[in-house]
Amino acid sequence: MSYYLKYKYLEELHPKNLIDIDSIIQKVKIARRFESVEISDIELNKLVKAKELCELSIIDNWENQESENFKQLCSIYFDIATILQLPTDPQEEIFELIKIISFGYLGEGWHLVRQFLKKIDPNHFEKLNATQWNQRLLIVSFKALIAVVNKKNWEELRKAVEYINNLREEQAKFETSYLNDHLENQKKSVAAELIALYHLAKSIEILSQYLLDGQPNNALEQTTYHLGYANRYSDQAGNFSFKLLVQYFEPFAYKLIRNSLWHITRGTNSRVSKFNEFISHRVDKPVFEMLYPQREAILVGGLLNDAFDAVVINLPTSSGKTLIAEYRMLKALNQFADQGGWVAYAVPTRALANQITIQLQKDLAPINIRIEKLSGVVELDGFEESLLEEDAKFSQFDILVTTYEKLNLLIRQGVGASDDRPLVLVVIDEAHNLEEETRGIGLELLLTTIKKDCRSANFLLMTPEVVNSSEISNWLSADRGTPISLGLHWWQPNERVIGALIADGNRKKYNVILKTLLTQKGTFKVAEDIKIIHYDEAPLARSKVYGSAGVKKKFSALAASSLTDLSKIVLARTPGDTFDIAEDLWNYSTESFPDDDEIELVIKYVEAELGAEFPLCRFLKKRIGIHSSALPEEIRFLIEDLMANEKLKTLVATTTISQGINFPISSVIMASYSYPFSTMPHRDFWNMVGRVGRAGQDTIGFLGIVLKNDNELAKVMNYVSEAAVALRSQMVSMIQEALNYPSISFEQWLFREPKWSSLLQYISHLYKQTQSLDSFISNLEINLQSTLGYRQLNQIQRNYLRQNIRQYASGIDKNHASLSDLTGFSTITIRNLIGQLSDAGIKSSDWSPNQLFSKQGDNLKKLVVIMLRAPEIRKQMEEINIGEKSLDRSSIARLITDWVNGKNIESLASTYFPNDNFAKSVERCTRILYRNISNAATWGLAAIQKMPNSGIGWEKLTEVEKRKLANLPAMIHYGVNSDEAVLLRKNNLPRSLSSRMGELFRASVGDDIFSHSSTSIR
Amino acid sequence: MEEQLRDLYSNLNKRALLIRYLANKTRNLESAHPFKKDYQRALNCYYLQDHPNYQLIGVLIRDIAPDESDLQNSYQKLESHVLNPRGIKLIACYIPIEKEKWNDLIRKESVK
């Protein structure tokens, strides 16, 4: 719901008195973000009036505090009151702040209350001097209350308890004289006020104690008791202002208790209690309260309810989904502890796998939950094979974090299906990827396979708003699936503005204007244009960045360089664009920055990995970072870390960063809202928007879409105003397209669109599990019903699909189906690989690392030729040659050989791309190695190894020899040439150090490196 | 009473507090209740303009025999502060029942 609708509700209640109040609230909100927006006294007076009327409407609805209208009014009051000046009189200020806190909580926005209080100088209240005992009681209780709401850590809550304890000691000192200072006829009401204040203070003490450790058990009842008395005595005190304060405080106190971890998860299980104990007591970012969506997910949505096998969490980005997943995982692990149950946490990217692993290790490892991560490549290296094999005997992990594709490979190999070590929960992060054009079908069929093969598996899908989430939960588990969505449609974790950026002016004198845009979601919009940058003498003429010859990349860099916000992101279309934009930013930057150890360390790391000439080293010195798939995973991770620690001013990233950013961003400049070959889907766009101004940040987030010229405005307005449609299976569009070309068989589609491989693999996996073609066909309808796509197809499409599957299945060789499950390639690719390998004549001896990666041999070249014919990886391999001068197959093989043998990037760049300028050649070389070769060639080689005519006599090898061979593809992935170095690289050691450190490691542990867990290495 | 009236005239927050008091008193009344209707009408009128539109009415309730000087004194004290432009109305009620008994009487009435 847009803010327009949220605030319009107040106008509806007071139609004559609050005309257009929604625009004024939004304008004042925006004015706090952009100085150029001016607010008149008339507008401010209207806002004051709106605040008063809002409070009166809240009082009018006081008996319906659980109603959506009441919550909405409270949230509106909070929004208005926090943009107005606070009263100057200390007592009035305290009363107003208590009101803001209370209504903030009742409007389900405690996280915003905390943000707001952060802006208030903590010493401000320390300075307040109370001359009277009643004032002192109020001020000290208020300070305790602020500590309870802020609760930065355990200590702060202890401090709140201490404040109240001190009051007890002071009572003896001040109370009598205070009472004696009053006339006899005043004493009764003065004493009543004191009693009310004592009860208020006591209830604050109970609140802090309860947040600390969940005690007293009956905190709700005790608070009710004390606030009942506070209420009664405030009545007798005859001070209406104070009575109102008590009236407002009461529901806040109950809400705080109801938001606490202890209340929400009471009696769930011992693991959850341990977890609560840990996360509330830790020094770094303790958690005491749950956000509104988290609480609703558990209490209303039934997240921890045994009755549900499949839960689809359908919540806005930044609603705290990871914590929700943690509770669900703990429940599953507890429930299946006796059977050795484990959880798979599947994510779309390697970067996210890293982030999630670190987060889970931080949160769950201290309560003895074991977390392991598998690499993102679609193959199992020797160490991963060892881990899984050992795990089957003695469980090695409780939670396995990996990518969708890797999980698919495991499931199809039977991991998680056994009753001895069952997969009990699958968490799918960013599950809206079900509709992603190339990978969506694979994810859908992974879930379908888990449903069929892993009978103990439950599902938890986490997505940003998907309108048909009940259809998805119903697909996963017909009677036992449930979607979890928010009841309050206007609720947002953060506040933001979305707008188009245009350049207005002439030559070098112009303004960058933000035109705020109307959206369906919670974003602020004002009628006025907002001048965000003014140039008297811009570094580039307007015509170079905007207009008929406008260049978005240039405009973005210019705008970003002029914005003073910290932690901003510029979104680029391609990895290459990230370098161009960062280069411009670097040129514009005239600022000098003090030395920073963290930055210097990252620069050293980049120098060691990619060479001192790699542009990122220069960029970082000016606090500019880049982030794309063309960078090594470790460097991307370090850059994210710098962003999280607010060390960078600007990060230039490709749009893929939208999935799973876990650091604060104040603003985003979008040089592009399209992916390299398509428009960014709406869900991805809103996912990105959701990261801007994340919960916990104190300013309104700002996302500006850069326009090329004025003509583009209408298109962008249209793009952001469209609501996301229902999530559709990719199978639907595939079959629709296939029906347009009925003469093309499924086999042929594979060569046109590699995503067809997922469907073919699903079919061959099903076929492998049946006795005969007849039984496969007789069960086909049932198995297809298990997919989401089949349910969304019409009858004609269904018939067509069944008919073609029958045709395809009749040609499947069961051995090929098994190989398909082992490799992630379709049976058609397998058949072709086998055919080509017969001609290649690779022998067993050719597979030793020294032979395979030797400059003299041509075996790797032969294998590269074969790989280039596999549809699943061909596109990635072909990308090596996009745009610029081609690398022939021999060069690709030589590049891989040099890469594995440890040549550094600078030397590889000058050898293989000698015609480019040096910086460009390094960029290109890095992109090819980290984006294409490390994925595609690794996968391809691993698949070839498993072919029966690969030349490897697997049956004659010892276990250790098998694992060593299985590590060959990983050597390509990590760019090293020993098993030890692979192990160290898996644990994020820099490539430049891994070989030498690997030798030292071998010297210390001997040959038995496969028995070492990743934890022991660390 | 004079101080309260003076405050209500000069302090916007005090007036807002009085209105909240009334809002709390009327919140449980049916919307057709005459007092609620009057309150709503007055509220709309008060907030309709940029400068609040209202009139101050002071009500004095005492348990003695009527005494004109009560209001005269108050009027004189308030005249220079609040008479213009708002105007002020002062009403005095002299009730022939002791003040101490009022509470009980009111409670009994409200029970009925």
Side-chain angles (χ1 to χ4, degrees):
Chain A
M1 183 198 263
S2 70
Y3 281 111
Y4 162 76
L5 288 174
K6 178 181 175 185
Y7 299 138
K8 206 75 189 163
Y9 176 59
L10 187 60
E11 187 181 327
E12 281 165 19
L13 293 177
H14 305 276
K16 290 181 186 158
N17 292 317
L18 296 178
I19 296 164
D20 282 340
I21 195 65
D22 68 284
S23 322
I24 299 174
I25 302 174
Q26 294 188 67
K27 189 176 168 191
V28 180
K29 280 267 183 193
I30 289 176
R32 293 175 70 87
R33 180 69 163 79
F34 300 106
E35 284 169 6
S36 65
V37 180
E38 286 175 6
I39 304 298
S40 69
D41 285 347
I42 294 174
E43 286 168 326
L44 275 179
N45 287 338
K46 282 187 177 167
L47 216 51
V48 171
K49 192 201 280 189
K51 185 175 81 119
E52 285 180 20
L53 284 169
C54 186
E55 187 180 347
L56 296 175
S57 298
I58 290 170
I59 293 172
D60 225 23
N61 283 276
W62 198 250
E63 311 304 328
N64 306 307
Q65 289 180 13
E66 280 312 304
S67 73
E68 191 169 323
N69 289 347
F70 179 81
K71 291 180 178 182
Q72 189 166 342
L73 284 167
C74 288
S75 175
I76 296 173
Y77 183 93
F78 177 83
D79 287 356
I80 300 174
T82 50
I83 46 178
L84 288 171
Q85 288 286 334
L86 287 168
T88 45
D89 173 74
Q91 186 158 324
E92 281 182 23
E93 185 187 12
I94 289 177
F95 281 18
E96 180 62 26
L97 281 169
I98 290 181
K99 218 188 305 179
I100 287 175
I101 292 171
S102 176
F103 291 161
Y105 263 76
L106 297 176
E108 304 294 3
W110 68 261
H111 58 295
L112 300 173
V113 175
R114 255 173 87 166
Q115 254 165 256
F116 168 72
L117 290 180
K118 265 192 217 164
K119 291 180 206 159
I120 295 176
D121 175 10
N123 296 320
H124 174 66
F125 298 107
E126 296 292 335
K127 283 184 214 149
L128 291 182
N129 248 334
T131 50
Q132 306 275 342
W133 174 230
N134 67 334
Q135 286 173 354
R136 173 143 187 84
L137 268 173
L138 180 69
I139 290 173
V140 175
S141 300
F142 178 69
K143 282 199 275 192
L145 173 66
I146 295 286
V148 168
V149 176
N150 274 336
K151 48 187 168 316
K152 280 194 289 290
N153 50 41
W154 202 73
E155 268 313 303
E156 195 167 11
L157 281 173
R158 294 246 30 114
K159 207 168 151 190
V161 177
E162 228 174 83
Y163 277 134
I164 307 294
N165 274 333
N166 290 343
L167 281 179
R168 283 198 187 92
E169 285 166 24
E170 289 179 23
Q171 183 181 3
K173 206 160 115 193
F174 296 115
E175 188 186 79
T176 315
S177 61
Y178 173 70
L179 286 171
N180 289 341
D181 284 347
H182 286 85
L183 298 172
E184 209 51 45
N185 65 350
Q186 295 172 325
K187 276 189 179 154
K188 200 175 161 192
S189 62
V190 169
E193 188 190 40
L194 287 187
I195 297 172
L197 279 165
Y198 292 148
H199 282 288
L200 197 72
K202 177 67 191 171
S203 56
I204 294 172
E205 187 192 20
I206 295 170
L207 293 180
S208 25
Q209 200 61 57
Y210 187 70
L211 287 173
L212 274 171
D213 51 17
Q215 296 296 329
N217 240 339
N218 60 348
L220 207 53
E221 289 78 4
Q222 286 205 28
T223 319
T224 310
Y225 169 81
H226 287 288
L227 290 175
Y229 271 100
N231 222 328
R232 209 173 309 158
Y233 280 99
S234 68
D235 225 358
Q236 289 183 24
N239 175 347
F240 183 68
S241 167
F242 179 60
K243 179 165 171 48
L244 210 56
L245 179 144
V246 176
Q247 179 183 333
Y248 292 159
F249 182 85
E250 201 176 344
F252 149 76
Y254 304 149
K255 179 67 93 182
L256 185 88
I257 292 173
R258 291 190 172 111
N259 283 349
S260 75
L261 303 182
W262 310 105
H263 182 85
I264 295 171
T265 61
R266 191 156 66 178
T268 308
N269 63 52
S270 60
R271 285 188 202 226
V272 166
S273 303
K274 264 199 218 167
F275 178 59
N276 286 348
E277 185 80 28
F278 171 69
I279 58 171
S280 60
H281 282 68
R282 68 182 171 197
V283 180
D284 184 33
K285 295 182 186 157
V287 182
F288 300 98
E289 266 179 283
M290 288 196 196
L291 290 169
Y292 161 67
Q294 294 167 334
R295 192 192 67 215
E296 292 290 283
I298 295 176
L299 293 183
V300 182
L303 178 81
L304 305 179
N305 189 333
D306 287 339
F308 300 124
D309 290 347
V311 178
V312 178
I313 299 280
N314 173 38
L315 298 174
T317 308
S318 303
S319 296
K321 290 198 270 279
T322 309
L323 186 72
I324 292 175
E326 285 173 336
Y327 277 111
R328 179 76 187 180
M329 288 193 285
L330 288 174
K331 180 195 167 283
L333 289 172
N334 202 67
Q335 192 180 350
F336 293 92
D338 293 343
Q339 292 102 305
W342 63 281
V343 173
Y345 198 121
V347 295
T349 64
R350 282 182 278 171
L352 197 53
N354 259 335
Q355 267 186 32
I356 292 292
T357 307
I358 289 167
Q359 180 74 46
L360 297 183
Q361 270 162 349
K362 218 190 266 179
D363 292 352
L364 300 175
I367 59 162
N368 301 324
I369 305 289
R370 296 159 304 165
I371 295 114
E372 283 288 345
K373 182 191 75 173
L374 297 185
S375 77
V377 198
V378 194
E379 58 98 28
L380 288 170
D381 61 42
F383 297 102
E384 289 170 346
E385 278 184 356
S386 171
L387 172 77
L388 293 170
E389 221 163 86
E390 284 300 306
D391 180 74
K393 295 180 221 152
F394 315 100
S395 80
Q396 303 284 308
F397 53 82
D398 299 303
I399 300 171
L400 196 62
V401 183
T402 189
T403 56
Y404 307 149
E405 286 76 10
K406 185 83 160 224
L407 182 61
N408 201 347
L409 200 67
L410 300 185
I411 297 297
R412 283 166 52 200
Q413 291 177 30
V415 177
S418 92
D419 287 341
D420 301 332
R421 183 78 172 120
L423 170 63
V424 294
L425 176 68
V426 186
V427 181
I428 303 289
D429 207 350
E430 310 283 354
H432 61 289
N433 281 307
L434 277 166
E435 66 181 355
E436 205 274 329
E437 205 182 329
T438 51
R439 299 169 69 192
I441 184 73
L443 176 57
E444 176 186 334
L445 296 172
L446 161 67
L447 293 175
T448 311
T449 309
I450 292 173
K451 272 206 299 178
K452 184 169 178 295
D453 293 2
C454 308
R455 62 188 187 137
S456 301
N458 283 225
F459 296 90
L460 176 67
L461 269 61
M462 302 197 290
T463 82
E465 298 155 275
V466 167
V467 283
N468 56 333
S469 52
S470 57
E471 184 186 357
I472 311 291
S473 60
N474 190 272
W475 158 54
L476 291 169
S477 183
D479 299 323
R480 294 168 64 90
T482 184
I484 295 181
S485 306
L486 286 187
L488 305 177
H489 301 297
W490 45 265
W491 192 93
Q492 289 292 337
N494 44 29
E495 298 178 319
R496 63 229 163 196
V497 180
I498 292 181
L501 293 179
I502 63 168
D504 183 38
N506 288 306
R507 296 190 179 87
K508 291 200 165 184
K509 188 171 180 175
Y510 55 93
N511 296 322
V512 176
I513 302 286
L514 172 72
K515 279 182 176 294
T516 54
L517 301 172
L518 185 67
T519 73
Q520 301 288 323
K521 309 274 179 116
T523 60
F524 294 113
K525 155 104 180 78
V526 284
E528 297 91 333
D529 288 348
I530 303 169
K531 185 174 78 184
I532 58 168
I533 304 164
H534 168 75
Y535 298 110
D536 276 324
E537 184 63 30
L540 272 181
R542 179 180 176 269
S543 58
K544 302 271 184 203
V545 295
Y546 195 78
S548 53
V551 182
K552 287 187 189 181
K553 274 197 297 187
K554 296 268 173 213
F555 189 13
S556 314
L558 185 67
S561 71
S562 306
L563 286 174
T564 52
D565 309 24
L566 268 178
S567 312
K568 52 184 177 296
I569 287 190
V570 181
L571 281 186
R573 203 171 68 92
T574 62
D577 286 355
T578 62
F579 286 94
D580 296 342
I581 294 172
E583 195 69 53
D584 281 350
L585 281 165
W586 187 84
N587 283 322
Y588 293 136
S589 172
T590 50
E591 218 174 325
S592 56
F593 296 90
D595 289 344
D596 184 294
D597 290 348
E598 216 176 317
I599 295 266
E600 289 306 318
L601 271 175
V602 176
I603 291 175
K604 277 188 184 151
Y605 188 100
V606 178
E607 282 174 354
E609 289 297 274
L610 306 175
E613 294 302 314
F614 193 69
L616 179 58
C617 303
R618 259 189 305 124
F619 298 159
L620 284 171
K621 286 193 190 297
K622 292 196 175 183
R623 307 295 186 263
I624 300 160
I626 49 173
H627 190 289
S628 76
S629 56
L631 288 180
E633 205 174 311
E634 297 83 10
I635 290 181
R636 269 184 274 166
F637 180 69
L638 289 172
I639 295 288
E640 287 169 18
D641 208 40
L642 288 179
M643 264 312 257
N645 296 334
E646 299 187 346
K647 297 281 182 181
L648 295 180
K649 282 196 78 175
T650 313
L651 175 64
V652 190
T654 49
T655 42
T656 49
I657 203 168
S658 68
Q659 299 207 358
I661 299 172
N662 203 14
F663 45 77
I665 319 167
S666 58
S667 50
V668 171
I669 307 283
M670 292 183 83
S672 159
Y673 61 98
S674 62
Y675 291 149
F677 302 104
S678 60
T679 302
M680 193 182 211
H682 283 92
R683 236 180 294 280
D684 286 8
F685 173 76
W686 285 106
N687 205 8
M688 178 77 234
V689 173
R691 319 261 176 210
V692 187
R694 264 188 107 110
Q697 286 176 243
D698 55 0
T699 52
I700 294 178
F702 150 58
L703 183 136
I705 303 172
V706 167
L707 302 189
K708 190 177 177 185
N709 51 46
D710 291 351
N711 298 336
E712 234 192 337
L713 181 62
K715 199 172 133 198
V716 169
M717 280 169 80
N718 197 31
Y719 177 76
V720 301
S721 68
E722 282 170 15
V725 291
L727 192 148
R728 302 281 286 167
S729 160
Q730 275 302 310
M731 194 187 288
V732 179
S733 58
M734 286 162 69
I735 301 301
Q736 257 169 4
E737 196 183 359
L739 265 169
N740 291 336
Y741 304 95
S743 60
I744 300 177
S745 71
F746 277 15
E747 275 200 42
Q748 289 164 314
W749 273 111
L750 172 69
F751 292 92
R752 293 180 166 225
E753 301 268 3
K755 64 182 174 187
W756 279 81
S757 180
S758 297
L759 180 60
L760 300 183
Q761 288 179 57
Y762 174 67
I763 298 164
S764 63
H765 178 74
L766 286 177
Y767 182 60
K768 189 186 88 176
Q769 292 174 325
T770 53
Q771 299 294 322
S772 63
L773 184 62
D774 286 345
S775 78
F776 169 80
I777 289 169
S778 59
N779 285 312
L780 184 59
E781 177 80 25
I782 297 169
N783 285 321
L784 285 174
Q785 280 288 357
S786 296
T787 66
L788 173 67
Y790 194 73
R791 293 157 170 243
Q792 294 180 335
L793 294 176
N794 63 33
Q795 203 50 51
I796 296 169
Q797 292 165 332
R798 286 178 176 194
N799 293 343
Y800 172 80
L801 178 64
R802 283 199 310 272
Q803 188 189 331
N804 277 274
I805 287 178
R806 279 190 212 112
Q807 193 186 336
Y808 169 65
S810 63
I812 297 176
D813 176 327
K814 276 207 174 175
N815 292 324
H816 293 179
S818 298
L819 285 170
S820 167
D821 283 348
L822 277 176
T823 59
F825 282 174
S826 67
T827 53
I828 296 159
T829 310
I830 300 284
R831 193 179 63 209
N832 291 347
L833 284 181
I834 293 172
Q836 289 161 46
L837 273 169
S838 303
D839 303 333
I842 310 274
K843 306 184 296 295
S844 175
S845 57
D846 295 332
W847 283 101
S848 82
N850 295 341
Q851 279 294 321
L852 189 67
F853 301 121
S854 95
K855 284 210 149 183
Q856 286 71 40
D858 67 346
N859 290 323
L860 191 58
K861 183 184 148 195
K862 287 184 198 165
L863 297 176
V864 167
V865 172
I866 296 173
M867 282 179 217
L868 280 166
R869 291 185 187 141
E872 286 84 352
I873 56 171
R874 191 182 60 204
K875 200 174 161 195
Q876 273 203 44
M877 293 292 277
E878 281 173 354
E879 267 182 26
I880 294 173
N881 291 323
I882 283 178
E884 296 138 85
K885 184 180 158 279
S886 302
L887 281 187
D888 59 22
R889 289 154 189 183
S890 302
S891 302
I892 294 174
R894 281 205 314 275
L895 173 63
I896 295 173
T897 300
D898 285 341
W899 163 245
V900 170
N901 287 319
K903 264 202 172 184
N904 65 33
I905 296 283
E906 285 163 303
S907 134
L908 292 172
S910 53
T911 308
Y912 292 94
F913 307 102
N915 298 332
D916 291 339
N917 76 44
F918 185 66
K920 279 276 165 219
S921 71
V922 169
E923 275 173 42
R924 192 168 175 219
C925 187
T926 315
R927 177 170 57 82
I928 287 171
L929 286 169
Y930 288 101
R931 186 180 158 90
N932 306 108
I933 287 182
S934 79
N935 289 318
T938 306
W939 184 10
L941 189 69
I944 291 172
Q945 281 186 319
K946 294 189 177 71
M947 297 302 115
N949 56 348
S950 65
I952 302 174
W954 289 101
E955 62 290 343
K956 293 179 197 148
L957 300 177
T958 65
E959 285 308 307
V960 171
E961 285 168 335
K962 282 180 190 170
R963 282 183 189 139
K964 280 175 172 291
L965 265 181
N967 267 346
L968 286 181
M971 288 178 187
I972 299 181
H973 181 64
Y974 294 112
V976 292
N977 60 4
S978 75
D979 297 306
E980 299 77 29
V982 167
L983 181 60
L984 295 172
R985 292 284 290 131
K986 279 171 76 68
N987 285 282
N988 300 328
L989 203 76
R991 176 172 170 257
S992 50
L993 294 178
S994 292
S995 292
R996 176 71 192 120
M997 292 281 282
E999 286 167 20
L1000 295 173
F1001 184 66
R1002 172 176 278 275
S1004 71
V1005 302
D1007 284 341
D1008 187 23
I1009 55 165
F1010 291 99
S1011 64
H1012 285 267
S1013 70
S1014 52
T1015 328
S1016 74
I1017 305 302
R1018 278 179 225 126
Chain B
M1 181 172 80
E2 291 96 17
E3 197 187 324
Q4 281 180 347
L5 288 167
R6 212 176 287 125
D7 272 357
L8 285 172
Y9 176 75
S10 54
N11 187 334
L12 196 88
N13 288 336
K14 286 272 161 69
R15 283 205 303 276
L17 195 65
L18 175 66
I19 296 170
R20 276 175 244 153
Y21 174 81
L22 292 171
N24 260 301
K25 290 288 168 198
T26 59
R27 75 170 196 247
N28 290 323
L29 299 179
E30 294 291 323
S31 49
H33 192 286
F35 187 74
K36 181 123 181 177
K37 279 161 77 178
D38 285 347
Y39 162 76
Q40 283 296 354
R41 254 202 309 270
L43 194 71
N44 281 332
C45 188
Y46 179 77
Y47 283 108
L48 197 57
Q49 294 158 13
D50 287 338
H51 298 290
N53 184 16
Y54 66 97
Q55 186 175 29
L56 281 177
I57 301 173
V59 182
L60 176 73
I61 306 176
R62 300 193 71 183
D63 59 350
I64 59 164
D67 179 356
E68 259 188 48
S69 66
D70 275 350
L71 290 190
Q72 266 171 2
N73 290 342
S74 293
Y75 183 79
Q76 276 159 13
K77 283 182 198 165
L78 291 167
E79 189 183 7
S80 59
H81 288 281
V82 297
L83 197 56
N84 290 314
R86 290 278 159 222
I88 188 165
K89 232 183 217 179
L90 296 179
I91 298 168
C93 301
Y94 295 91
I95 298 174
I97 302 168
E98 282 171 36
K99 183 165 74 177
E100 286 68 29
K101 294 178 183 166
W102 292 358
N103 255 339
D104 288 344
L105 277 172
I106 292 168
R107 287 209 181 96
K108 273 183 204 157
E109 276 305 306
S110 61
V111 170
K112 278 181 198 168

